[in-house]
């Protein structure tokens, strides 16, 4: 089963922000969406989530189901979206906020099954210890964990995470990325995560897609696509690559590093991590 995005164009008013993006995400695959600020990551994710409308192109799931044609309720049974900013509803406690993820499944009253999903999602995100506190009393990071738990309770087939770790301390960043990867694999979910940390993306995602000015410019395993040239092109910074515990890692170099250490932005040998060119994912543009 595949989430398939073809020639997607999305804009605000007359300004195009996503420009002819095509990509695929298979079930069981966690894909990192990378790119500089303003490159169109959130816009693309929100369009898959049905919040933005495309001007052209298609978004299909599975056997060709057109996600843009589904009702809100039917879309919410397939797609869960964790927004970048918190915006939790006033007057709810944590449990009730997580229960919102179950609303596509029940009528007027939650069933035992819905509460079971809520409890499991709360436990997974370490929220059970926060008890029945009101969502308005939570810190930014705690609120972000509630949003992720709400998405997990939704039991989606497609999970969209927009910088879900931006407000989290290192323990919960790690935990959230592990949860995202585990849910993707165990529940056979197709997942996209917009993320700025290239090293975390290399550590946790199966594949990365780089957006630049709304265009997909690279698509493949981190070890296959990360290079000083690509990172310079996307972010305008010189970097060195290394390997840590089998994962490619990125280290920005400052002007001072260049002069002090006589470094230039060359790549230490990471060739053993790379797959032969013929086995790599196709670069879309
Ligand atoms: N609601 C909106 N109305 C008009 N323009 C918008 C709106 N939302 C985003 N944009 C513009 O679209 C472009 C892409 O924004 P988007 O939020 O998709 O980028 P991003 O890659 O997610 O950025 P970041 O890494 O900073 O979160 C930016 O130039 C932004 O100013």
């Amino acid at each position: 089963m595949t989430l398939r995005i073809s020639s997607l164009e999305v804009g605000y008013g007359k300004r195009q922000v996503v420009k002819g993006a095509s990509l695929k995400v298979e079930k069981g695959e966690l894909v990192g969406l990378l790119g500089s600020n303003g490159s169109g990551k959130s816009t693309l994710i929100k369009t898959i989530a049905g919040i933005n409308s495309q001007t052209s192109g298609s978004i299909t799931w599975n056997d060709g189901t057109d996600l843009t044609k589904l009702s809100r309720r039917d879309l919410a049974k397939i797609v869960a979206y964790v927004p970048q900013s918190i915006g939790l509803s006033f007057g709810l406690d944590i449990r009730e906020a997580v229960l919102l993820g179950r609303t596509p499944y029940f009528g007027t009253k939650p069933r035992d099954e819905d509460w079971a999903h809520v409890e499991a999602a709360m436990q997974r995100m370490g929220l059970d210890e926060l008890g029945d506190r009101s969502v308005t009393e939570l810190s930014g990071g705690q609120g972000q964990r509630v949003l992720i738990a709400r998405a997990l309770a939704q039991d989606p087939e497609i999970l969209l995470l927009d910088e879900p770790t931006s407000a989290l301390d290192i323990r919960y960043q790690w935990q959230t990325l592990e949860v995202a990867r585990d849910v993707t694999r165990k529940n056979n979910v197709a997942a996209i995560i917009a993320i700025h940390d290239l090293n975390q993306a290399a550590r946790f995602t199966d594949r990365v897609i780089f957006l630049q000015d709304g265009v997909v410019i690279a698509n493949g395993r981190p070890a296959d696509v990360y290079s000083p040239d690509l990172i310079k092109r996307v972010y305008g910074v010189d970097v060195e690559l290394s390997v840590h515990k089998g994962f490619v890692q990125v280290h920005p170099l400052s002007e001072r590093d260049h002069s002090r250490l006589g470094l230039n932005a060359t790549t230490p040998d990471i060739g053993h991590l790379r797959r032969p060119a013929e086995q790599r994912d196709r670069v879309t543009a």
Side-chain angles (χ1 to χ4, degrees):
M1 291 214 229
T2 310
L3 169 66
R4 203 179 294 268
I5 293 160
S6 303
S7 307
L8 196 71
E9 302 266 338
V10 191
Y12 300 100
K14 285 197 174 135
R15 189 158 160 256
Q16 280 309 110
V17 168
V18 174
K19 301 168 184 168
S22 294
L23 55 106
K24 289 191 290 190
V25 184
E26 304 290 341
K27 264 194 154 189
E29 195 182 25
L30 177 60
V31 170
L33 192 57
L34 303 173
S36 59
N37 288 137
S39 55
K41 301 180 297 296
S42 296
T43 302
L44 174 58
I45 282 184
K46 282 183 189 165
T47 311
I48 304 168
I51 295 164
N52 291 341
S53 311
Q54 81 267 37
T55 43
S56 66
S58 62
I59 307 173
T60 60
W61 173 237
N62 196 8
D63 50 1
T65 304
D66 183 344
L67 291 183
T68 65
K69 296 270 176 1
L70 296 181
S71 67
R72 283 241 141 253
R73 193 179 171 91
D74 286 342
L75 185 65
K77 286 181 185 163
I78 300 176
V79 180
Y81 162 65
V82 177
Q84 209 176 79
S85 57
I86 308 297
L88 286 162
S89 319
F90 283 89
L92 297 182
D93 65 34
I94 296 173
R95 195 163 265 100
E96 290 164 338
V98 175
L99 180 65
L100 289 177
R102 296 301 302 167
T103 46
Y105 296 97
F106 62 82
T108 47
K109 230 171 136 223
R111 306 155 300 170
D112 289 349
E113 183 189 337
D114 298 308
W115 286 116
H117 274 91
V118 169
E119 295 306 323
M122 285 182 62
Q123 208 170 18
R124 208 151 191 187
M125 292 313 299
L127 291 168
D128 37 346
E129 61 202 45
L130 292 176
D132 294 330
R133 283 165 64 179
S134 159
V135 292
T136 51
E137 293 168 22
L138 301 180
S139 73
Q142 290 166 341
Q144 208 164 24
R145 280 154 51 206
V146 171
L147 293 179
I148 296 164
R150 185 180 74 182
L152 297 181
Q154 215 171 317
D155 198 17
E157 294 177 54
I158 299 171
L159 178 61
L160 306 170
L161 301 151
D162 196 352
E163 292 178 39
T165 54
S166 57
L168 302 182
D169 69 38
I170 188 161
R171 170 182 164 198
Y172 287 114
Q173 284 182 20
W174 207 253
Q175 190 209 51
T176 297
L177 291 166
E178 279 181 334
V179 167
R181 193 188 50 198
D182 291 353
V183 166
T184 302
R185 301 237 168 102
K186 287 189 192 134
N187 300 7
N188 228 359
V189 168
I192 300 180
I193 180 169
I195 184 166
H196 280 298
D197 189 318
L198 295 168
N199 294 336
Q200 289 185 341
R203 177 76 178 73
F204 286 98
T205 66
D206 299 301
R207 192 154 54 85
V208 288
I209 289 172
F210 279 87
L211 271 189
Q212 186 174 40
D213 194 20
V215 175
V216 175
I217 61 159
N219 180 354
R221 289 168 68 241
D224 291 335
V225 297
Y226 281 12
S227 72
D229 284 347
L230 177 72
I231 292 165
K232 175 88 176 175
R233 180 176 162 199
V234 173
Y235 301 101
V237 290
D238 291 320
V239 299
E240 252 189 356
L241 303 184
S242 70
V243 179
H244 179 68
K245 295 193 185 296
F247 297 99
V248 59
Q249 297 286 283
V250 176
H251 311 281
L253 294 170
S254 68
E255 284 302 317
R256 269 179 54 213
D257 291 331
H258 285 278
S259 53
R260 189 164 53 92
L261 303 171
L263 293 174
N264 52 28
T266 54
T267 312
D269 188 11
I270 63 159
H272 59 291
L273 287 184
R274 295 188 193 269
R275 291 189 299 187
E278 65 275 12
Q279 289 176 18
R280 288 188 204 158
D281 306 281
R282 198 165 52 84
V283 173
T284 316

